[in-house]
């Protein structure tokens, strides 16, 4: 038998790969038909059908490979079947980083076999710049459409809450009416959002909001903005001397990166601008185009007061890698100066910068100076907080040892930890935001891949990974790129598929109830004052005097209307609403998922 296989160019490794592909095919069929996490799956399965499928697939692969005298059939079959099997497995056991690591440990040798010696023939595939451009545009459209449909289903199913989607929905409505970013739900009373975060970047979306006057516009814009990063990244790869194929693969890695689509499910935030702006700034820097780099670095600063750290990191990277040091020094000084200006504007608007997210580093009265003092005087404590962050209470949340490690694994493994594999130490400066924004704070959402604090660091990590790859040999680069594509796919499915299924199913199964809820809310006069439950509030964002439940910053007032979400009729927040209403309200409308109460005597 060995002589027969050898006669047709198949070695022992190829035969073993065919056996693995056949086993994967049989496993895939049964995994798709049952829940592998329950041992009843094994008890109810029959060995004979699995054995027949195994034998048939192995025979088919080996016969075709021998007849055609090629290893590509086995290589592609093993790679694609393994990927499909992995996707099925993680979709049934989602969100578990360690299960994903187990899958990755199996996939990496599979990719190694498929790419070693170019068994898949990837080196012979030619892609023109024009074709790569069209494919990139197509991937971008598919990504933006998929993200928008899923997040729109979340909105239409009344699953977006006041914190944080409702805040921005009302803020944009007020911007359209008055030009000012005011809200009545973010803090107690009417306040400028700039008292919380200084984000003038929002005004770039205001013209579109005039055309599409709906909170859905924000979700659509967000899907487009996060996806746009594929275009500067592809240009960056070409500037680094990478081929059109690798540049196209980089675009796919960006869209499939675990935090990219996953973070979009958590409402709407200014942080989502960071990826595309940072990547355009980096492309202009690589091209030595100061004007373009200056414009996009300024736009990064306009995202948020703490966004200066991304520009500062890029400037330091430029300084130490000897890239236009004069311009880099200007960027560094300008970014720090802008931070203090933005902080001053926040205070002038009646707020203060949110240094409380670093309260795990407070050694005295708190504040930024206290954080810096701790970092310099107690490095041991800083290391403990970065790598464990255990038992630190912050913002009513408790972080636990291991969560920061999980964050690093979710973001580092799909990139094969290439951002940490540079030979030049100066390139590690690109990871400064990962340290400061995600790993140092005790605010648990900043090191959680489900939230918005990943977009800036994701852009820098992806850029850093392909910067590292640009110095690799083609054979090693092929293995790395295919591995990243495979792992990003698996990790992203694990994180996003359950959310997408939940909201799409939720909306499709109860669409009539949601439509009835919409009609009920339309009966409330637009000039009335309203207190609404958190999941109802975003759908009333056009109300000027709007209050929310729960309200973490003020007491409940006697507004013209109270809107109760009947899905949460018995929870503590709804009970507080009824306590605030007392006997002063009458039930006006009950339809869909809402009860609308009107203040007695209100016009």
């Amino acid at each position: 038998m060995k002589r027969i296989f050898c006669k047709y160019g198949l070695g022992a490794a190829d035969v073993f790969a065919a056996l693995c592909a056949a086993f994967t095919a049989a496993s895939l069929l049964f995994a798709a038909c049952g829940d592998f996490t329950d041992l009843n799956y094994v008890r109810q399965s029959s060995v004979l059908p699995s054995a027949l499928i195994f034998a048939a697939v192995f025979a088919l692969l080996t016969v075709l490979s021998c007849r055609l005298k090629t290893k590509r059939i086995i290589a592609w079959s093993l790679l694609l079947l393994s990927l499909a099997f992995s996707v099925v497995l993680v979709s049934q056991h989602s969100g578990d980083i360690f299960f994903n690591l187990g899958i990755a440990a199996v996939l990496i040798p599979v990719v190694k076999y498929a790419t070693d010696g170019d068994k898949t023939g990837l080196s012979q595939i030619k892609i023109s710049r024009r074709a790569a451009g069209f494919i990139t545009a197509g991937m971008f459209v598919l990504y933006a459409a998929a993200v928008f449909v899923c997040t729109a289903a979340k909105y239409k199913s009344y699953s977006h809450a006041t914190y944080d989607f409702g805040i921005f929905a009302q803020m944009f409505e007020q911007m359209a009416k008055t030009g000012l970013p005011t809200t009545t739900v973010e803090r107690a009373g009417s306040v400028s959002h700039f008292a919380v975060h200084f984000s003038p970047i929002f005004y770039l979306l205001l013209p579109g909001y005039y055309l599409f006057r709906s909170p859905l516009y924000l979700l659509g814009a967000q899907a487009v903005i996060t996806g746009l990063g594929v275009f500067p990244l592809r240009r960056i790869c070409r500037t680094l001397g990478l081929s059109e194929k690798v540049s196209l693969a980089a675009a796919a890695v960006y869209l499939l990166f675990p935090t990219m689509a996953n973070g979009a499910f958590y409402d709407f935030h200014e942080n989502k601008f960071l990826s595309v702006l940072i990547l355009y700034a980096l492309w202009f820097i690589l091209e030595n185009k100061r004007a373009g780099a200056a414009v996009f670095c300024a736009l990064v600063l306009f995202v948020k007061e703490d966004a200066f750290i991304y520009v500062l990191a890029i400037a330091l990277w430029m300084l130490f890698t000897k890239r236009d040091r004069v311009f880099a020094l200007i960027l560094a000084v300008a970014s720090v100066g802008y931070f203090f200006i933005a902080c001053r504007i926040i205070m002038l608007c009646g707020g203060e910068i949110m240094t409380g997210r670093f309260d795990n580093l407070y050694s005295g009265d708190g504040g930024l100076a206290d954080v810096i003092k701790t970092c310099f005087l107690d490095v041991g404590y800083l290391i403990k907080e970065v790598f464990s962050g255990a038992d630190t209470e912050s913002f009513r949340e408790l972080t636990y040892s291991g969560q920061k490690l999980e964050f690093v694994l979710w973001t580092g493994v799909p990139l094969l930890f290439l951002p940490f594999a540079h030979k030049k130490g100066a390139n590690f400066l690109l990871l400064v935001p990962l340290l400061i924004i995600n790993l140092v704070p005790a605010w648990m959402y900043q090191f959680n891949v489900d939230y918005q604090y990943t977009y800036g660091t994701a852009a820098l990590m992806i850029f850093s990974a392909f910067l590292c790859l640009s110095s690799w040999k083609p054979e090693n680069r092929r293995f790395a790129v295919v591995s990243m594509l495979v792992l990003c796919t698996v990790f992203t499915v694990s994180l996003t598929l359950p959310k997408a299924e939940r909201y799409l199913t939720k909306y499709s199964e109860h669409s009539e109830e949601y439509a009835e809820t919409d009609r009920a809310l339309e009966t409330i006069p637009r000039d009335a004052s309203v207190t609404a439950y958190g999941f109802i509030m975003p759908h009333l964002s056009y109300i000027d005097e709007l209050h929310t439940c729960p309200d973490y910053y003020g007491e409940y007032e006697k507004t013209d209307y109270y809107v109760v979400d009947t899905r949460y009729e018995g929870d503590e927040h709804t009970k507080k609403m009824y306590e605030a209403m007392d006997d002063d309200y009458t039930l006006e409308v009950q339809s869909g998922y809402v009860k609308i109460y009107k203040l007695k005597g209100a016009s």
Side-chain angles (χ1 to χ4, degrees):
M1 183 66 71
K2 181 178 179 181
R3 291 181 179 179
I4 295 175
F5 286 130
C6 291
K7 177 181 178 181
Y8 292 100
L10 297 182
D14 305 312
V15 175
F16 180 71
L19 289 168
C20 291
F23 176 77
T24 305
S27 300
L28 175 61
L29 179 64
F30 286 96
C33 298
D35 182 2
F36 80 95
T37 62
D38 189 338
L39 283 179
N40 287 326
Y41 167 76
V42 177
R43 298 185 186 103
Q44 296 170 3
S45 299
S46 174
V47 176
L48 181 59
S50 181
L52 291 175
I53 294 172
F54 171 80
V57 172
F58 176 73
L60 180 64
L61 291 177
T62 52
V63 169
L64 286 175
S65 297
C66 290
R67 290 290 299 272
L68 299 176
K69 295 184 179 181
T70 179
K71 300 179 181 180
R72 292 185 186 179
I73 295 173
I74 294 175
W76 277 109
S77 296
L78 178 60
L79 182 61
L80 295 179
L81 285 169
S82 298
L83 177 58
F85 186 38
S86 300
V87 165
V88 170
L89 293 181
V90 297
S91 65
Q92 294 182 15
H93 189 59
S94 59
D96 185 339
I97 181 58
F98 298 105
F99 182 69
N100 278 266
L101 289 179
I103 297 293
V106 176
L107 285 174
I108 291 297
V110 169
V111 175
K112 180 63 177 173
Y113 165 78
T115 57
D116 195 26
D118 194 27
K119 295 184 183 70
T120 54
L122 288 173
S123 64
Q124 299 178 30
I125 299 175
K126 305 298 180 183
I127 299 178
S128 66
R129 178 174 296 187
R130 182 182 178 87
F134 279 120
I135 295 172
T136 302
M139 291 191 302
F140 160 71
V141 171
L142 287 174
Y143 167 89
V147 170
F148 174 65
V149 167
C150 294
T151 54
K154 182 178 180 180
Y155 172 76
K156 296 291 286 184
S157 63
Y158 286 78
S159 300
H160 278 294
T162 302
Y163 305 101
D164 292 335
F165 186 68
I167 292 172
F168 296 111
Q170 190 193 35
M171 184 193 76
F172 265 89
E173 185 62 26
Q174 291 302 309
M175 287 169 66
K177 292 177 180 177
T178 67
L180 299 176
T182 56
T183 73
T184 59
V185 295
E186 189 166 15
R187 295 291 187 267
S190 180
V191 66
S192 171
H193 177 68
F194 289 174
V196 181
H197 293 299
F198 183 58
S199 305
I201 195 75
F202 283 130
Y203 282 97
L204 290 181
L205 295 183
L206 188 55
Y209 187 79
Y210 283 116
L211 296 175
F212 306 98
R213 200 75 170 259
S214 167
L216 287 172
Y217 163 75
L218 303 180
L219 297 175
Q222 179 171 266
V224 170
I225 289 166
T226 56
L228 282 173
V230 295
F231 299 107
L233 181 60
R234 199 168 73 88
R235 293 180 177 184
I236 284 170
C237 289
R238 292 207 308 267
T239 301
L240 292 173
L242 297 171
S243 67
E244 284 295 339
K245 284 185 295 186
V246 174
S247 301
L248 182 60
V253 166
Y254 173 89
L255 294 176
L256 291 169
F257 193 67
T259 67
M260 200 59 60
N262 188 52
F265 280 93
Y266 183 60
D267 303 336
F268 170 86
H269 293 90
E270 65 281 346
N271 303 68
K272 312 295 175 63
F273 280 91
L274 286 171
S275 295
V276 61
L277 297 179
I278 287 172
L279 289 173
Y280 265 116
L282 287 167
W283 177 65
F284 280 115
I285 288 168
L286 292 177
E287 290 286 328
N288 296 313
K289 296 179 179 179
R290 285 185 173 182
V295 168
F296 278 93
C297 284
L299 289 173
V300 170
L301 294 175
F302 291 164
V303 169
K304 206 174 182 180
E305 67 279 356
D306 62 7
F308 88 98
I309 197 66
Y310 302 106
V311 178
L312 180 60
I314 292 171
L316 292 175
W317 169 71
M318 293 173 64
L319 279 170
F320 286 92
T321 55
K322 301 178 181 180
R323 295 175 184 270
D324 197 348
R325 287 182 167 180
V326 173
F327 182 60
L329 186 60
I330 293 172
L331 283 180
V333 173
S335 64
V336 174
Y338 179 84
F339 170 69
F340 287 105
I341 292 172
C343 292
R344 181 59 180 167
I345 292 174
I346 289 173
M347 289 186 285
L348 290 174
C349 291
E352 58 183 19
I353 59 172
M354 300 179 71
T355 56
R357 299 185 179 191
F358 296 89
D359 64 2
N360 55 319
L361 301 178
Y362 287 174
S363 58
D365 297 329
L368 185 60
D370 211 20
V371 172
I372 295 173
K373 177 183 175 182
T374 299
C375 291
F376 277 97
L377 296 183
D378 196 343
V379 176
Y381 181 82
L382 176 64
I383 293 173
K384 180 185 80 71
E385 289 301 297
V386 169
F387 288 97
S388 66
D391 301 325
T392 300
E393 193 160 345
S394 174
F395 280 74
R396 303 179 302 276
E397 298 291 346
L398 191 65
T399 64
Y400 298 95
S401 180
Q403 287 183 337
K404 292 182 178 181
L405 174 61
E406 289 186 20
F407 178 85
V408 173
L409 293 173
W410 277 118
T411 55
V413 172
L415 297 177
L416 303 182
F417 287 108
L418 290 180
F420 304 90
H422 288 281
K423 293 181 180 179
K424 294 182 179 179
N427 289 327
F428 292 113
L429 290 167
L430 293 168
L431 301 180
V432 167
L434 171 67
L435 179 69
I436 296 177
I437 299 296
N438 302 112
L439 299 181
V440 169
W443 180 231
M444 64 175 293
Y445 302 110
Q446 296 201 218
F447 46 89
N448 189 318
V449 291
D450 290 332
Y451 295 90
Q452 73 271 20
Y453 300 104
T454 62
Y455 285 85
T457 50
L460 289 173
M461 289 181 72
I462 294 171
F463 168 77
S464 183
F466 283 91
L467 178 65
C468 181
L469 274 184
S470 64
S471 62
W472 284 27
K473 295 180 180 179
E475 180 80 7
N476 296 333
R477 189 184 298 156
R478 184 165 52 245
F479 162 74
V481 170
V482 175
S483 295
M484 285 192 287
L485 285 170
V486 168
L487 295 180
C488 281
T489 300
V490 172
F491 278 43
T492 293
V493 168
S494 178
L495 289 170
T496 61
L497 186 62
K499 295 184 179 73
E501 287 183 336
R502 179 164 68 252
Y503 296 124
L504 290 171
T505 301
K506 189 176 179 180
Y507 178 68
S508 64
E509 291 181 350
H510 304 282
S511 58
E512 183 54 39
E513 289 89 340
Y514 297 127
E516 291 176 4
T517 305
D518 292 339
R519 290 190 289 270
L521 295 179
E522 289 172 0
T523 65
I524 300 175
R526 288 177 171 262
D527 59 351
S529 59
V530 180
T531 299
Y533 195 86
F535 290 110
I536 305 299
M537 181 263 135
H539 296 261
L540 293 169
S541 58
Y542 51 83
I543 300 291
D544 292 338
E545 188 179 343
L546 186 60
H547 302 266
T548 185
C549 172
D551 189 341
Y552 300 114
Y553 301 97
E555 300 294 330
Y556 292 105
E557 300 178 7
K558 295 292 185 182
T559 52
D560 295 334
Y561 291 87
Y562 263 69
V563 184
V564 174
D565 190 332
T566 57
R567 297 173 300 177
Y568 305 93
E569 189 83 51
D571 74 0
E572 60 175 314
H573 300 302
T574 305
K575 290 178 181 178
K576 290 181 179 179
M577 292 182 75
Y578 282 119
E579 290 174 3
M581 284 188 281
D582 200 12
D583 294 327
D584 298 329
Y585 287 78
T586 57
L587 181 61
E588 189 85 359
V589 177
Q590 180 173 355
S591 181
Y593 291 116
V594 292
K595 289 181 180 178
I596 301 175
Y597 292 87
K598 184 178 180 180
L599 180 64
K600 295 176 182 177
S603 57

